[in-house]
Amino acid sequence: QVQLVESGGGLVQAGGSLRLSCAASGRTFSMLSMGWFRQTPGKEREFVGSINTSDGGLGYADSVKGRFTISRDIAKNTVYLQMNSLKPDDTAVYYCSASRTFGNRRPDYWGRGTQVTVSS
């Protein structure tokens, strides 16, 4: 089992920045990738980005490329999502995820989510 706990969400004005954190615990050694999804009411959960745990390889959705950055602190077992130039369309619940496959497109574990609200 892997436990994921997100933090860092909140309310920010358009153009501002936020950093989300995801602390992982449990059998994290079995995960090949971690990352982030987001979801708004009535819509499917949307891939945001991923980081491979073996080599740090990154992947991003086109909608966030150039504005969002994923990083990690191996010693702390924590993954971060730095969000810059935020737009109202980025408003969503953001979920941390972990996967037994590369690219984090099919997560096996999810956090509970953290709300990000971007005001115009």
Side-chain angles (χ1 to χ4, degrees):
Q1 286 282 16
V2 173
Q3 294 78 41
L4 304 171
V5 179
E6 304 97 335
S7 61
L11 173 64
V12 64
Q13 287 188 333
S17 298
L18 275 178
R19 188 177 81 155
L20 306 183
S21 300
C22 173
S25 60
R27 300 173 65 85
T28 57
F29 58 85
S30 62
M31 298 296 108
L32 295 184
S33 65
M34 294 183 63
W36 298 88
F37 282 70
R38 65 187 182 185
Q39 189 171 24
T40 54
K43 293 188 177 180
E44 290 189 2
R45 202 165 287 189
E46 173 191 26
F47 171 80
V48 173
S50 66
I51 182 166
N52 290 330
T53 57
S54 57
D55 61 3
L58 299 168
Y60 297 98
D62 288 343
S63 58
V64 306
K65 210 171 284 185
R67 299 187 299 122
F68 290 11
T69 303
I70 292 179
S71 62
R72 61 178 176 166
D73 185 327
I74 296 174
K76 294 182 178 179
N77 240 358
T78 299
V79 172
Y80 303 97
L81 179 66
Q82 178 66 43
M83 304 184 292
N84 298 328
S85 302
L86 282 162
K87 307 173 183 179
D89 283 350
D90 295 317
T91 296
V93 177
Y94 283 72
Y95 295 91
C96 179
S97 57
S99 174
R100 295 188 183 94
T101 59
F102 291 113
N104 194 47
R105 294 294 183 143
R106 298 178 65 181
D108 296 284
Y109 297 97
W110 296 94
R112 291 189 174 184
T114 184
Q115 177 71 47
V116 171
T117 302
V118 184
S119 64
S120 56

